[in-house]
Amino acid sequence: MQNYLEELNDVQRAAVTTTEGPVLVVAGPGSGKTRVLTFRISYLIEQGVLPWQILSLTFTNKSAREMKERISKVVGGKANQVWAGTFHSTFAKILRVEAEKIGYPSNFTIYDTDDTKSLLKAVIKDMNLSPDIYNVNAIYSRISSAKSNLITPKAYPQMEELMIADRANKRPYIHEIYKKYTIRCKKAGAMDFDDLLFQLYYLLHLNPDDVLDKYRKKFKYILVDEFQDTNYLQYAILKKLTLYDNSKQNLCVVGDDAQSIYAFRGATVDNILDLSKDYKTLQTFKLEQNYRSTSHIVQAANATIGYNKKQIKKKIWSDKGSGHKIKVIKAMSDTEEGKRIADAIVEQKNRNHYSNSDIAILYRTNAQSRVFEEYLRRYNITYQVFGGTSFYQRKEVKDLLAYLRLTINQKDEEALKRIINYPKRAIGKATVEKISALAANTDQTMWDCLTKVEVPTRARGQLNGFKLMMETFIQKAATVDAYELATFVARQTGLITKLKADTTIEGLGRLENITSLLDGIKEFVENDEVIEGAIQTDKTIGTYIQNIALHTNMDEEEAGNYVTLMSSHAAKGLEFKSVFVVGLEESLFPSFMSMNSQAGIEEERRLFYVSITRAEEMLTLSFAASRYRHGKTNYNEPSRFLAEIPLDHLESNFTMGAQTSKIAPRARVSGSLKKKRTEAVLNIDPADFKPSPASEIEEGMKVLHMKFGEGKVVHIDGDRDKKVATINFSQIDDPERRLMLKFAKLQIMP
DNA sequence: TGACTGTGGGTTTTT
DNA sequence: CCCACAGTCA
């Protein structure tokens, strides 16, 4: 019985079987923390705890999914009934049920970062504030951090510290923007990412219909992975659920302060330190044996992280032998770095018999992936890039989703603004602004105003048509499944036709994206998901949209034999036989954004620590003397983190600090080779030029144009005032032009 | 109204 | 370098 317990070391086993009361597991890299978590859940179930009384929170959908898979290997199908998900997705699920208690519709829309920024821009514009001073990104991060610290729009102006900082930055009205933004979100029936936490907290806090008690009873055991990455608000929610009179305080958190890499978005290690103050009977287990990496790697990591002042003491060790020393590659330029890494990969594949999937390239910024992609492609090595823009952020995908979103929630202004004139249906900026203004002044939504706004007859007709079309979608949504509706919408709106008309490579890609989106929806309709012991039969578009709102492209992983390219952040929790950490230069890693504070540098160092501890057998670090960035060549010193690794862990032929090379790197030439499309310089005297009336121009005529010179009318299409002439101008580079006759000034030549 | 061009600005990590 | 936006022109 329970033979899996025998696979664990003493500390791990204790962490698994100590089920009652508050538990903190401090888990170094590779120390088997995921095993502890999954076995703990399995153990709970075996002890008779009902699966749906267990809440397991993670940061990514991927780790939630993996967790479920691993539990099901031990306990079988019951695993699906555990509440295992990300903070955001789990709380969204609860809010769907309870939203109306706090004034939101249960079909609320989730605004992603783009939607949020777009709405913020609109608010800033409405308030007549300068978009330069009130930079959207800055405002967003300000509001996000307010929410993450449980500061309401009402409380914000009373926070002396915040207001002083805002005034110092010449942005005294942030609290007003925050307030208006909140109102607009609510009016749109929408929550942003932070709201999923923030509103859940207030739901529990305000406690309508004793909803707090309901969830306290429901979740008898709560587990949290990557606890070091939780923010104040997340911890506050956990406390709400587990810290009260007569609570059993069955909260188990697993984390590693050394791997805290999300402070920039409000995560705080203080949560780990506060734990023992809040939970008096806290039991702590330290997992210090690293089963992942060989000794040189572990010791290098220990030495590096030792430079950080703030940390929980622990000694990570490995008994896997010393293994390979760490290799450092010094390249002249970013291009050379790409080539040398690709060469090294080829070599490792041959010498160590690694397959592609054993290898990962980790970088600080997603933009760095390009060079590596180029060389890997050239060498015919299969790779997969993670991060960057997600599938669901692609324009065409968002367009179709916006139609579907509006079908579900007509209050969703961001969706409406996105598609009201896409594909083009002659509803221009002026019209949209009128609608928006009316909505703002009358407390109605933009949807309500579509038919009420006063506009010229032509626009009126277009608006009616648009609304009518949307209404057919809304009606259909009630009767058909998600796939049927989505296909109908894609055709009916003209999106498909529009994309098919574009035959460029990018155009084909876009059409393909729409097809895979539709395929995805089909899959959703056809595959059954079990929730709390029951098969989910709701296959409506509403359920679909809710399910995908929180997907990221990290979730799109497919099995295959490829080299992994991803940011260091994204690599958290993963492991590879061979890891390349590239771009180790000052201002890049550590990032220049973090270089002016000790805390910033320490976070970068933790990120470096996370990066190098992904490696099992081989670790290669690289930097380039020059790097092409933002159109300029930069010269940076090697990263300080390289110098922090004791020399005895590095391959012998390398010493830091000695800048041997005096040769200047080759300059880029691409700029000068760029072909510029220039118009021919024609000497036509405006005085001699007498344009002929558009109605007289016919196919076959010779005409003269002020800028393009002489040309022959090849073809005329369109009718009445929309005639377009295709004209071949012999005197310019790119001779065939299409001009609208109504505007084109052409003189008929004999 | 819409397509296209030029410029000017920013520039990290992600649920 | 890449993107978003304003301005221009048809």
Side-chain angles (χ1 to χ4, degrees), chain A residues 278-444:
Chain A
D278 294 327
Y279 296 84
K280 301 293 181 207
T281 59
L282 182 75
Q283 287 185 267
T284 303
F285 300 95
K286 279 189 195 175
L287 307 181
E288 296 176 310
Q289 181 174 0
N290 180 321
Y291 294 94
R292 177 184 299 152
S293 319
T294 48
S295 205
H296 277 306
I297 297 170
V298 170
Q299 285 175 39
N302 283 345
T304 314
I305 202 68
Y307 283 83
N308 273 8
K309 290 210 184 82
K310 205 176 164 182
Q311 55 181 315
I312 295 175
K313 271 213 182 113
K314 53 186 166 311
K315 33 181 193 306
I316 310 299
W317 58 279
S318 163
D319 66 0
K320 296 192 81 174
S322 51
H324 298 279
K325 286 192 174 184
I326 298 163
K327 190 174 176 177
V328 179
I329 292 178
K330 177 177 182 178
M332 296 307 303
S333 65
D334 50 350
T335 337
E336 195 197 307
E337 183 187 39
K339 182 176 186 314
R340 302 259 314 259
I341 299 285
D343 287 338
I345 288 176
V346 172
E347 193 194 314
Q348 285 187 9
K349 284 179 65 171
N350 289 331
R351 198 186 295 187
N352 304 34
H353 304 290
Y354 287 159
S355 59
N356 292 339
S357 57
D358 293 327
I359 302 169
I361 302 176
L362 308 181
Y363 34 73
R364 180 66 239 276
T365 66
N366 284 310
Q368 285 165 258
S369 72
R370 259 183 57 186
V371 199
F372 301 104
E373 290 183 64
E374 266 168 45
Y375 279 100
L376 292 176
R377 212 178 300 139
R378 206 177 288 183
Y379 288 13
N380 251 328
I381 297 172
T382 320
Y383 64 88
Q384 179 93 255
V385 185
F386 296 86
T389 32
S390 132
F391 177 75
Y392 294 103
Q393 284 173 347
R394 301 245 148 85
K395 188 195 171 298
E396 60 281 6
V397 174
K398 285 204 83 171
D399 289 335
L400 179 51
L401 289 176
Y403 275 103
L404 301 174
R405 270 167 57 179
L406 190 62
T407 306
I408 300 160
N409 173 15
Q410 291 86 51
K411 292 192 237 170
D412 184 343
E413 281 198 6
E414 294 311 309
L416 187 138
K417 280 193 282 186
R418 186 175 187 99
I419 44 120
I420 189 167
N421 195 33
Y422 185 84
K424 299 260 144 66
R425 50 176 74 88
I427 299 173
K429 218 162 98 186
T431 308
V432 176
E433 249 152 43
K434 272 183 208 160
I435 298 168
S436 170
L438 182 64
N441 296 331
T442 60
D443 209 42
Q444 303 170 85

Side-chain angles (χ1 to χ4, degrees), chain A residues 70 148 167 204 260 339 407 449 457 459 526 613 623 636 647:
Chain A
R70 291 175 69 162
S148 304
R167 265 177 300 214
L204 300 177
S260 159
K339 182 176 186 314
T407 306
C449 296
T457 335
E526 285 169 1
T613 53
F623 65 95
N636 291 316
L647 286 175

Side-chain angles (χ1 to χ4, degrees), chain A residues 643-661:
Chain A
E644 290 170 3
I645 299 176
L647 286 175
D648 39 327
H649 301 306
L650 299 178
E651 272 188 13
S652 57
N653 55 5
F654 181 80
T655 42
M656 276 310 301
Q659 289 292 50
T660 49
S661 161

Side-chain angles (χ1 to χ4, degrees), chain A residues 338 425 462 475 507 641 740:
Chain A
R425 50 176 74 88
Q462 297 300 333
Q475 279 169 20
F641 301 145
M740 253 187 116

